[in-house]
Amino acid sequence: MATKENIPTTTTTTTSTSTSNSNNNDSNTTSTTTTTTTTAPTTTTTTTKPKKDVYVDVDWKELTPIGFEFNTWESMKKEGWTFPELKREFKRGVLSHAQTDKPLYMFLGAQPIVEGNYAFNMPYIVVFDCPSPPPSKICKASIQSGNEDIYNFSDFHLSWSPYIPSRYSNLASNKKYKIFTLNLQERAGKKISEEKQLNIQYLLPYILIPKIFKTFSVSVVTNVQFMLKDCKLTKEAGEKLIKERKQEEEAYKKWVEENKGKKKDEKTAGPTKPPTKLPFKVLKDADGKVTGVTKDFEIYFDKLSDSIKTYPSEFVEDNGLEQEMTEVIDKAIRDEFVKSRAVAQKKYDDLKAEIDSYPPKKAEDYDNCKIYKFYPRHKKYNIQKYVSPAINRFFGSATQTFPDALKLSLTDLKEVDADLVKKIADEDKKSWASGSKKSKETQVDDGRYSDSDESSSEEESEEEEPKKEVVKRVVKKAAAKPAPVKPAPKQSKKKAATNKSKAEEKSEEKEEEKEEEKEEKETKADDKEEKEEKEEKEEKETKAEEKETKAEEKEEKEEKVEEKKEEKKEEKKEESKADDAEEKVEKPKAKVSKGKNTKETKETKETTVTKTNGKRKEPESTASKPAAKNTKETKETEESKENKEKATKKPKTK
């Protein structure tokens, strides 16, 4: 509330004068009157809304991704994740108490999830609420050794920096901030190199909380990996290495000579250039003769899968080393285990020394700190099933998750009636024994198994199968009970059995009957589902068959159309051939010798053309007869083809 006071004052004065003249007294009298009016002070009130704290409106896409594959960062930002719980808690929830004196510390992580056939990373945000700030250190996980190494922020260009939204980053401000984020210090617009991406991928936010450190212990070393230098090879193995090296060099020289002067597109694919530095050493004496060959080998030994007694000799045989190297390898493995154990002990001692150096207030703050883990929301996916309070081995588990994690407990199965379990087991044994006898009677003895095998199989099945069914029934009954059973006073089994009333036994029998009815209903429902699935499959198959038949009919029709087109083309070709033959026969007759008169030519024309009933008939020449024969042949071929088509059509219609 802001108030503004306006106190305007107005004064009005009125003067009146009166004069009197008397003859007796020569004197003038004047009188003046003044009146003043003042207005009361007026106050105007104006209400202003509290300003929105812009520096608390966090955009998760502006945080630095740490501890997961950097290549998935761009696709993650496009997925459409939102953090409504984070905004709500900053406004009027757990994080609304954030102050500049006690800021909150925040970092971004990712969790792999699977939806259908699609596997991807889901982001989450961790908020550290503590009066004492977290350390400026980071942990890097080693995949090969399985251990973690602690580094300073400066080694990876990291820092706890105040969160400033990108739209306000250009504004210069001396303000104190409420949120600090784990940020990668890079020049704006600069791409992160591949080495930094790999380093970020294996980084873990680090803090050493005293109550969590009590659960730590010296890491047990089970494997070692190291380079063993100057291992002596046998004579044969050394000569083989030298020979292979010479062959590689000769092949590369030959390829260079063949492709000399050619362009890049014209060059053929060839061998790679052998490295200038040899992967082995050739030992020579003063005269230059080869005395031996040595090579460096990487040794990986795992106690869980390898044996120190057999590993050295097997390694010597596999790599063509001299027998002297077995003792060298054995000693090297043992020495490496001693070194790695000493390193593990030193790491543990360093962590312990760090906690001992904490002042009492810092240790108390870390033990009483609150850690909140926020999961996003998505339009398509249900995130509730993926919610987990676990962060990492240093931060431990979150004090609260948003949304809450699903609670799965089996406390209802703690108290089970032992006598009831025995009854069910006896009934199951009897039913199973009767069923096995019936199955034996139906089986035919063909000599494939003996009586001893049958008895042993019966005993094993009697011991195993009834137990499984008993457990299932007990689980169902425990789940059906609305409230946990009160613990009964300790009694002997015989007394507990005698104390049971008949009414309780009847109620138990009724419950068993109800459960059997439920099981029957479930089996019927399953059968119905199976039938429906089978019907759906059959319908799909029939539809697919109908589609195939339709496609075949279409193909047949297209083939028939093509055959007809080909027949027409053949007929046209035959007719054109007949016409050409007639023209060739008529041309020599039409020729007239130069010495004959025009009259003779007219007579020949008249004889060739005879008029009958107004129609012109050409005389049958010898050349026209074969043409007629050809036409008859074409008709016969057409008739034969039609008959064949009719014969082929009949079985298809059937």
Side-chain angles (χ1 to χ4, degrees), residues 258-361:
E258 288 175 356
N259 293 281
K260 192 179 284 185
K262 291 183 180 180
K263 295 180 180 179
K264 288 183 180 180
D265 300 335
E266 296 175 354
K267 286 182 179 180
T268 58
T272 56
K273 187 178 179 180
T276 54
K277 189 177 180 180
L278 294 172
F280 54 89
K281 293 179 182 179
V282 180
L283 303 176
K284 295 180 181 180
D285 57 4
D287 298 332
K289 290 182 180 181
V290 177
T291 57
V293 178
T294 61
K295 190 180 178 182
D296 299 340
F297 285 94
E298 186 177 8
I299 293 175
Y300 178 79
F301 181 85
D302 191 353
K303 273 186 174 183
L304 302 175
S305 59
D306 300 322
S307 174
I308 193 66
K309 293 179 181 179
T310 59
Y311 183 85
S313 58
E314 289 175 358
F315 190 85
V316 167
E317 289 177 4
D318 295 339
N319 295 288
L321 301 176
E322 292 185 357
Q323 291 297 325
E324 300 173 359
M325 295 301 299
T326 53
E327 295 179 1
V328 176
I329 292 168
D330 191 349
K331 188 183 176 184
I333 290 169
R334 294 178 189 278
D335 293 342
E336 196 67 25
F337 265 107
V338 172
K339 288 180 185 177
S340 55
R341 288 192 188 106
V343 170
Q345 185 66 42
K346 188 185 177 185
K347 286 180 181 178
Y348 181 80
D349 294 339
D350 291 340
L351 295 176
K352 191 176 180 182
E354 184 178 345
I355 281 185
D356 292 339
S357 65
Y358 284 174
K361 185 179 180 302

Side-chain angles (χ1 to χ4, degrees), residues 364-380:
E364 187 180 354
D365 290 343
Y366 278 4
D367 281 337
N368 297 326
C369 69
K370 293 179 181 179
I371 303 169
Y372 305 104
K373 191 175 183 180
F374 290 88
Y375 278 91
R377 295 288 185 178
H378 201 278
K379 293 179 181 178
K380 294 181 181 178

Side-chain angles (χ1 to χ4, degrees), residues 152-405:
N152 292 321
F153 273 177
S154 58
D155 295 331
F156 296 99
H157 303 284
L158 295 169
S159 67
W160 288 112
S161 56
Y163 175 72
I164 303 171
S166 58
R167 58 185 181 275
Y168 299 105
S169 59
N170 295 328
L171 298 175
S173 175
N174 295 323
K175 182 180 177 179
K176 292 181 179 179
Y177 300 95
K178 298 179 181 180
I179 300 173
F180 283 77
T181 61
L182 187 58
N183 190 24
L184 182 67
Q185 294 177 336
E186 286 287 342
R187 191 172 67 250
K190 184 182 177 182
K191 287 185 178 181
I192 300 172
S193 62
E194 292 182 0
E195 290 182 4
K196 281 188 179 179
Q197 290 180 15
L198 288 172
N199 288 331
I200 291 169
Q201 185 174 336
Y202 299 110
L203 294 180
L204 296 173
Y206 169 79
I207 191 172
L208 202 58
I209 299 171
K211 65 181 180 181
I212 294 175
F213 178 74
K214 290 177 183 178
T215 61
F216 289 5
S217 61
V218 181
S219 58
V220 180
V221 180
T222 58
N223 54 22
V224 290
Q225 187 175 6
F226 60 96
M227 289 294 294
L228 187 63
K229 295 186 176 182
D230 298 333
C231 297
K232 291 181 182 179
L233 298 171
T234 58
K235 189 176 180 182
E236 294 175 356
E239 289 176 355
K240 188 179 178 182
L241 278 177
I242 294 166
K243 189 178 180 180
E244 288 175 354
R245 174 69 180 185
K246 285 181 180 179
Q247 288 175 356
E248 288 176 0
E249 290 177 351
E250 288 174 359
Y252 182 73
K253 285 179 182 178
K254 188 178 179 181
W255 178 78
V256 170
E257 289 176 358
E258 288 175 356
N259 293 281
K260 192 179 284 185
K262 291 183 180 180
K263 295 180 180 179
K264 288 183 180 180
D265 300 335
E266 296 175 354
K267 286 182 179 180
T268 58
T272 56
K273 187 178 179 180
T276 54
K277 189 177 180 180
L278 294 172
F280 54 89
K281 293 179 182 179
V282 180
L283 303 176
K284 295 180 181 180
D285 57 4
D287 298 332
K289 290 182 180 181
V290 177
T291 57
V293 178
T294 61
K295 190 180 178 182
D296 299 340
F297 285 94
E298 186 177 8
I299 293 175
Y300 178 79
F301 181 85
D302 191 353
K303 273 186 174 183
L304 302 175
S305 59
D306 300 322
S307 174
I308 193 66
K309 293 179 181 179
T310 59
Y311 183 85
S313 58
E314 289 175 358
F315 190 85
V316 167
E317 289 177 4
D318 295 339
N319 295 288
L321 301 176
E322 292 185 357
Q323 291 297 325
E324 300 173 359
M325 295 301 299
T326 53
E327 295 179 1
V328 176
I329 292 168
D330 191 349
K331 188 183 176 184
I333 290 169
R334 294 178 189 278
D335 293 342
E336 196 67 25
F337 265 107
V338 172
K339 288 180 185 177
S340 55
R341 288 192 188 106
V343 170
Q345 185 66 42
K346 188 185 177 185
K347 286 180 181 178
Y348 181 80
D349 294 339
D350 291 340
L351 295 176
K352 191 176 180 182
E354 184 178 345
I355 281 185
D356 292 339
S357 65
Y358 284 174
K361 185 179 180 302
K362 186 176 181 180
E364 187 180 354
D365 290 343
Y366 278 4
D367 281 337
N368 297 326
C369 69
K370 293 179 181 179
I371 303 169
Y372 305 104
K373 191 175 183 180
F374 290 88
Y375 278 91
R377 295 288 185 178
H378 201 278
K379 293 179 181 178
K380 294 181 181 178
Y381 313 123
N382 181 16
I383 306 303
Q384 188 77 28
K385 56 186 175 182
Y386 299 111
V387 175
S388 172
I391 300 169
N392 60 35
R393 70 184 293 252
F394 298 106
F395 277 86
S397 297
T399 54
Q400 189 176 355
T401 58
F402 297 89
D404 295 330

Side-chain angles (χ1 to χ4, degrees), residues 9 376 515:
T9 57
E515 287 174 0

